[in-house]
Amino acid sequence: MEQDIMQKVMDEVMKRLGSGSTVVTPEKAAQEKEKCETPNVSVQSVVGVTEYVGISEGDTIGLVVANVEPMLQEKLGIDKKFRSVGIFSARTGAGPQIMAADEAVKATNTEIVSLELPRDTKGGAGHGSLIIFGAEDVSDARRAIEVALKDLRRTFGDVYANDAGHLEFQYTARASYACNKAFNAPVGRAFGLIVGAPAGIGFVMSDTALKAAEVDLIDYLSPTKGLSLTNEVVITFTGDSGAVRQALIAARMIGKKLLGAMGAEPKSVTTPYI
């Protein structure tokens, strides 16, 4: 299998160079293979599927369908004007993907036509996600997926985990239609999301956040209330931008201490942004 992949990479390098007289060394081929395994870099030459856009954090894959089969479109209730769709599908994480999708909607001529949160996380305590963008042109659908894949590295910055559970904090100064569809966030206002697993830690973080700043609670979600029986407590809230950030920072401080008491120090998945 490894030799087959390496051969495909070497063939692709030869095509790019456009000259059979140029020698492709094993070192060069290895570099190309490494590029193909880097998140957010398309490996179209290896995958060989036109629907493929890329991969990123959280076992997330981005796909496009240029012309959706009409029967499937009708069954899903997708407006017929959206001939093309972008698909943002993940095993691990919902908040980061939704926040990244929110940025993608702001940057492209697309809409969120479907958003589901399956019970998954590859055996962990939380959700996976399935987000579908609708677009009238396939180029818009592809661009939305590219933006979302790239932004995932940022939105995973305030996700912290150890073997005992995970914490998540998300912030935007101006919520758009993905946050509105998923969480009823007021469009155009600052928005915050707090997730804690196990659920008891999420409850304490929620209480701390609401006491720390003057914010308006949008929703409280628990294993049997709004979640797919996941072992989490989630709150969403809005308010002044500074207050939303203050609430998130207070919750993050106590959450990391509590989860750390159950195992190793919780580390950021990438780089914190709040």
Side-chain angles (χ1 to χ4, degrees), residues 8 42-52 61 63:
K8 289 179 181 178
S42 176
V43 292
Q44 185 65 44
S45 60
V46 175
V47 176
V49 178
T50 58
E51 289 84 357
Y52 179 85
I61 187 167
L63 308 162

Side-chain angles (χ1 to χ4, degrees), residues 71-82:
M71 289 188 294
L72 186 59
Q73 190 177 37
E74 182 179 357
K75 182 64 69 174
L76 292 173
I78 299 175
D79 193 315
K80 291 183 179 180
K81 71 178 181 180
F82 295 131

Side-chain angles (χ1 to χ4, degrees), residues 37 49 52 75 78 130 152 154 183-184 199 208 225 240 260:
E37 294 174 344
V49 178
Y52 179 85
K75 182 64 69 174
I78 299 175
L130 173 60
L152 267 186
R154 178 184 68 87
F183 303 119
N184 295 316
T208 300
K225 181 181 181 296
D240 175 78

Side-chain angles (χ1 to χ4, degrees), residues 76 88 90 93-94 98 112 114-119 127-132 181 228:
L76 292 173
F88 203 42
I98 292 168
I112 301 296
S114 178
L115 196 158
E116 299 177 76
L117 307 182
R119 176 72 175 89
H127 292 88
S129 52
L130 173 60
I131 303 171
I132 300 179
K181 190 174 185 69
S228 302

Side-chain angles (χ1 to χ4, degrees), residues 2 7 23-24 48 51 64 88 110-111 119 121 125 131 186 188 213-214 230 247 265:
E2 182 74 12
Q7 184 60 51
V23 176
V24 181
E51 289 84 357
V64 295
F88 203 42
T110 59
E111 294 182 19
R119 176 72 175 89
T121 320
I131 303 171
E214 293 186 9
T230 55
E265 178 187 356

Side-chain angles (χ1 to χ4, degrees), residues 200-212:
I201 292 178
F203 188 96
V204 173
M205 289 197 303
S206 300
D207 183 71
T208 300
L210 297 175
K211 289 174 178 175

Side-chain angles (χ1 to χ4, degrees), residues 160-213:
Y160 303 82
N162 62 18
D163 288 341
H166 64 263
L167 315 170
E168 180 183 339
F169 311 91
Q170 300 291 348
Y171 166 81
T172 179
R174 182 174 62 88
S176 190
Y177 295 103
C179 288
N180 175 261
K181 190 174 185 69
F183 303 119
N184 295 316
V187 174
R189 295 194 64 192
F191 171 75
L193 168 73
I194 293 172
V195 181
I201 292 178
F203 188 96
V204 173
M205 289 197 303
S206 300
D207 183 71
T208 300
L210 297 175
K211 289 174 178 175

